[in-house]
Each structure stands twice: as structure tokens, then as C-alpha cells.
Amino acid sequence: MATALANESFLSRLARIARQRGLDTTPGPINDAPSPNEPGHPAYHHRQRVNAALAKLERAVPPRYATATADMPEVAWWANEVSMNPATAGSLMLWGTTGSGKTHQAYGALRMIAESGPARFGVVAVSFPDLYAALRPGTSDPMERERTMRRVMQTPHLLLDDLGTTKDSAWTEETTYRIINHRYNRCLPVILTSNEPPSALPDLVGDRIASRLIEMTTRVEISGADRRKVSR
């Protein structure tokens, strides 16, 4: 206790002497904020989110679309909306003739979303034929099929390619309804591609699903020559 008082007295004397000599003893500011390369800085954490999202995307994207870009303004606009607020952005339907670039634009939109560094990013990208093959009864363990279904329904971002390329049945309609209705109710974005126009949706998927898709999607026509033939 005596030592503490002595130290306090000594410091007080120093402060008094400094004031008498006109010296400013006010403590200066301490800049201990993290730099952009250190944890705690927003730029650092944004880069971490971008890197994590791109790593997930690369595992889901086929090599052919590894460098796909969303160069259509309507598609880029939608991807930006999803990046800012996925709960209100809705879904996207890309339709047009074979080879017009629908799948390219779809993967480009997913890349734009990943590069924005969303707080939550996950993606499933699958064609309708492959989806039905994975979920069809008798093809795998029932629990594994249900896990696949849950993952498709709940992933933050879903790409369903080639709507209308499989034969419709009561089973395919019910399977599609489960997925679309779940994501519709929870405002989870979906990207769909199809060779058929939106007016054909009732014939392709039934009235229940078509009604939801019309309400929940921004519909963009992709026109132009077959890119696959042009590139040969």
C-alpha cells in the first residue's frame, strides 16, 4: 500500500512538473484497428467468405462451365438481387432453344453470387434426368434417397437443368412438387433451364407446380444460334 501511494505521488509530481513547463501530457490516440489483411477487418472476412463460396461452387460445377459468366443483363441483375437479399430475390427461369447458352448463363449467375461473398452459400446443381435417377424408388437405399431429397430442397442455391426433357408421370410430378413447394414456401432461390417457354409449364409439370413457378420466377428468354454447332 505504501509503495502504491509512493508511486502515485511520484507520478503526480511528474505531471505537475510537466504542466509547469508547458508540456502536454494528454495520452495520444492508439491505432490498434486491424488492417485489411487481419481478422476483424471487414475486407478480410469478405475475402474469406468469397474463397469459401468459390470452393463450394467449384465442387458443383462441371469442368465445361468452370469459367461461365452471366453476361446477360437480366441474369446478372437477378444474381445481384440474390447476393443482396436471397429471401426476396425470387427464382430464375432461363428458356430458349437447344444450345443457346442457358446452362452457361445459369452457372455464371451462381459464380456471381459466390463472388459477392454471401454470408451463407451452398449449391446443388443437377439436371432433371439425373435428379429423378437418384431419387427413383429401387435405385438406392431409401434413407439415402431421402437425404438427397432434403439436400436438394434445403440447399441455399439450387440449379435444376433441362426441365421438360423427361417423361412426365405421377411420380415425377410429385417429386418436383415437393422440391418446388418447399423452396417456394421458404423463399429459397432456384435456377431452372428449359427448352420450352413458360406457357408450356402446365403441360410439363402440372398446374400446381406451374402456378408456383410463374409466381416465383424471373423468366428470361435466351435466344441465338446453337453454340455447340457454331463452335465446331
Side-chain angles (χ1 to χ4, degrees):
M1 184 71 177
T3 303
L5 291 174
N7 288 338
E8 183 180 3
S9 178
F10 175 72
L11 294 174
S12 298
R13 287 199 302 273
L14 285 179
R16 178 173 52 78
I17 294 170
R19 288 195 299 271
Q20 290 173 348
R21 296 183 179 181
L23 301 177
D24 185 5
T25 60
T26 304
I30 299 175
N31 183 12
D32 57 356
S35 74
N37 294 320
E38 295 177 327
H41 195 283
Y44 172 88
H45 293 289
H46 179 262
R47 285 196 306 275
Q48 295 297 105
R49 292 194 302 272
V50 170
N51 292 338
L54 288 175
K56 291 180 180 179
L57 181 64
E58 288 169 5
R59 291 194 291 269
V61 176
R64 184 170 298 279
Y65 300 104
T67 59
T69 56
D71 51 17
M72 288 192 65
E74 302 97 321
V75 178
W77 175 87
W78 178 82
N80 187 59
E81 290 293 305
V82 174
S83 299
M84 293 189 296
N85 193 343
T88 61
S91 295
L92 178 69
M93 179 179 177
L94 304 174
W95 65 279
T97 56
T98 299
S100 56
K102 300 180 295 295
T103 305
H104 180 95
Q105 293 293 324
Y107 279 111
L110 289 175
R111 178 166 292 278
M112 270 194 69
I113 296 167
E115 289 176 346
S116 73
R120 183 170 178 252
F121 184 84
V123 60
V124 171
V126 64
S127 70
F128 274 96
D130 287 341
L131 175 65
Y132 294 145
L135 297 175
R136 195 174 300 278
T139 58
S140 61
D141 176 73
M143 292 184 64
E144 180 61 31
R145 293 198 302 272
E146 189 60 26
R147 280 193 292 268
T148 299
M149 173 63 88
R150 289 292 174 185
R151 182 166 174 256
V152 171
M153 290 195 299
Q154 296 173 2
T155 184
H157 308 90
L158 175 64
L159 165 57
L160 295 175
D161 206 12
D162 289 332
L163 174 65
T165 56
T166 54
K167 186 177 180 180
D168 190 31
S169 68
W171 179 82
T172 59
E173 183 174 336
E174 189 61 30
T175 298
T176 306
Y177 177 79
R178 283 187 64 190
I179 295 169
I180 298 302
N181 188 59
H182 180 94
R183 300 186 71 83
Y184 170 84
N185 287 337
R186 290 159 180 78
C187 301
L188 295 170
V190 186
I191 304 176
L192 299 112
T193 73
S194 179
N195 291 347
E196 304 296 333
S199 60
L201 282 173
D203 293 331
L204 292 177
V205 295
D207 291 335
R208 292 186 305 166
I209 302 170
S211 174
R212 287 163 173 78
L213 290 180
I214 292 298
E215 180 181 343
M216 68 193 279
T217 57
T218 295
R219 293 168 296 284
V220 179
E221 182 180 7
I222 311 294
S223 58
D226 189 333
R227 293 189 179 187
R228 300 185 185 101
K229 293 181 179 179
V230 171
S231 62
R232 290 175 186 171

